[in-house]
Amino acid sequence: MGKQMVMSVMSKDRPGIVADITGVIYQLRGDLADLNQSVLCGYFSMILIASFDDAVTPEDVVAGFSHLPSATKLEVVVKEMETPLEAAFEERSQEVYVLTVQGQNKSGLVHRIGLFCCQHEINILDLATTLSRGLYTMILQLDLSHVESVDAIRTDLARCAEESGLHLVLQHEDLFKATTEISLL
Amino acid sequence: MLRSDHILATVEMIQKENLDVRAVTMGINLLDCRGGGVAETCRRVEEKIGRAAARFVETCDQVSRKYGIPVVNKRISVTPIAFVGAGFDRHGFVELALSLDRAATAAHVDILGGFSAQVEKGMTATDREYIASIPEALARTEKICASINIGSSHKGINMDALALIGQTVKDLAELTRHQDGFGAAKFVVFCNQPGDNPFMAGAIHGLEEADLVLNVGVSGPGVVARALERLIQTRGRENLRLDDIAEEIKQTTFRVTRCGELIGRKVSEELGNEFGVVDLSLAPTPTVGDSVGEILEILGVDVVGAPGSTAILAMLNDAVKKGGLFASKAVGGLSGAFIPVMEDAVLAAAAGSGALCLEKLEAMTCVCSVGLDMIPIPGSVDAATIAAIIADEMAIGMINNKTTAVRLIPVPGKEAGEIVDFGGLFGASPIMPVRNVGKSSRFIAWGGRMPAPIHSFKN
């Protein structure tokens, strides 16, 4: 089976980055398992997982990237995964909720929500923010599987909303799937 | 992957636009509850409802909390009671009503429907006893709703039953005179009554249904109204055509229906019961901003009742069905826009100002669900005139192969223009004038049957 590595790549965005990255993995006879990429304000970021032969080391992968004849420098971090790939792909939590946060833009908003989640043992699975005409919107996908009572979380959120002046709404993910996707559940 | 704009649209719908699931109704078959006499039958009825609905309200509340969507009403519908009480006299039926009322209270549901009979072709001796029991049964109970089907497209209209019903409505209102005739608000007369309608007062658990089934009534006039306002504001009135409006209604209804489908499926799963249908009706409440009348005004008539009202309602009703049908695995019940005058603040105001008259309402019911609903009329209107108004509405249903219904409240001692207020979801409205009172008694006196219409040569 070999070893699994997780890689993080950051660069100024340009055409051809995905071809470059996957080219390095292909040349090392790696097998791509999963990846996620995003572009924000002209900067490209990707996290990916691939398996390689036992002989390949993280240093070999980094070296592969450094030899790329690239117009922009790729910042790369490579780590060998501690848990096997099968375990990492365990079933997704059934208790995924979506929290929407809206309010006037000011510093510390994301931190405040991050802290709230941390204090309530809520893991943030996904976070996206947008700023439009001074209105800051955050949409978070949260795993509430370690939470004892969702009602208690809602009560605490209502208090947080009152103190911060933010508009906070917590709804189960199923609801958004039901209202926006063609197939149901 | 969920898109941010879709997430925000759904959040808006739930938080700011009165989205709720109007009713989750548990249908319970009572045919197996028949005992040797009235007392034993009542005991079995209460036991069965108690067993079937033991966790019903609690489960609805749980699912509602989990998804953050209010389930406004938790209700029970039962097998039309005239079948369950075959052979009983009127006193026996009153006992059955009291028994159902106790069962509904014990199950903590808001209302129980199904104190009903189906007499579209003929009446048995039991049916006549049942009809005679209605005024006392509804006056002495709190949570019981009654309905009767007196016509269908296949059997015609039972004019003997119709004449009895005109008088029953009068008696019912008179017996609840101290409540402005409120008893009549719990009784509805149907043509083509569906057996899976979750909405009251006309919910029954039809004979064609399984032992236990859950039906869901979605709502959403407020959601549709806000979506249309937003569309007009962002796109600009001058850049929109009517088909754009219809498209927006479809998409909004899709989302609203999906919420109902989700709640219905989850409650069914938790209870281990069969999930029946979603009823796609736009059901208004007296709350400001949750009105079907308001949608008509947003779409271009300055007041409901003005020319154009029927056309707009036809489009609204159709768009609601088109959006909802794809959103749900099974659609049933009444499925259309309701125009209950007392339950819709904008309709009530239009009735009060004289813009909306009974005849225009009748025309509007040709293109929507469900009929002349929750209309207070002067207590002085005679039984034959009430029966004739019902006959007109039944004929619309019979000829057009659709469900129509009538729920008139002849308010004892009050005249047109005076206000009647039942509070809560039943609402308030000025009493509507009835024209040509006392001029239909020769027609009602015929009795017999109005034959079923021809089902070919449709033009």
Side-chain angles (χ1 to χ4, degrees), chain A:
Chain A
M1 174 68 218
K3 61 176 76 166
Q4 284 87 41
M5 294 190 211
V6 55
M7 289 156 267
S8 154
V9 185
M10 211 267 273
S11 159
K12 196 159 185 348
D13 195 26
R14 60 168 169 83
I17 299 181
V18 173
D20 285 349
I21 294 171
T22 49
V24 170
I25 294 168
Y26 180 67
Q27 282 186 354
L28 289 166
R29 296 172 180 252
D31 183 18
L32 199 57
D34 202 0
L35 68 79
N36 204 330
Q37 77 144 75
S38 182
V39 177
L40 188 66
C41 297
Y43 283 86
F44 170 99
S45 166
M46 178 187 276
I47 180 163
L48 63 162
I49 289 165
S51 32
F52 294 92
D53 288 343
D54 282 330
V56 180
T57 66
E59 290 72 26
D60 295 337
V61 180
V62 173
F65 280 108
S66 64
H67 294 134
L68 276 176
S70 166
T72 59
K73 188 171 182 303
L74 300 181
E75 314 263 357
V76 181
V77 178
V78 182
K79 284 195 181 306
E80 196 171 332
M81 286 175 73
E82 290 165 10
T83 45
L85 212 50
E86 290 77 16
F89 277 117
E90 66 193 18
E91 206 174 304
R92 193 164 184 259
S93 161
Q94 294 294 305
E95 297 304 318
V96 176
Y97 282 69
V98 175
L99 175 68
T100 52
V101 183
Q102 286 186 304
Q104 289 307 305
N105 188 27
K106 59 182 178 188
S107 61
L109 287 185
V110 181
H111 177 61
R112 180 163 199 145
I113 300 301
L115 207 57
F116 179 93
C117 292
C118 169
Q119 286 162 348
H120 290 82
E121 283 204 68
I122 296 170
N123 194 25
I124 301 175
L125 302 173
D126 191 69
L127 165 61
T129 69
T130 50
L131 177 63
S132 168
R133 293 188 211 128
L135 180 73
Y136 196 69
T137 303
M138 291 167 64
I139 297 178
L140 302 96
Q141 288 187 35
L142 307 175
D143 179 5
L144 266 63
S145 53
H146 300 295
V147 166
E148 231 168 73
S149 155
V150 178
D151 285 349
I153 297 289
R154 286 192 203 277
T155 310
D156 288 358
L157 263 182
R159 195 177 312 127
C160 177
E162 206 172 297
E163 288 167 7
S164 62
L166 292 169
H167 187 64
L168 303 174
V169 180
L170 182 71
Q171 299 281 2
H172 197 281
E173 165 189 61
D174 283 354
L175 183 70
F176 299 100
K177 287 185 175 168
T179 54
T180 57
E181 292 179 2
I182 287 180
S183 59
L184 181 59
L185 312 181

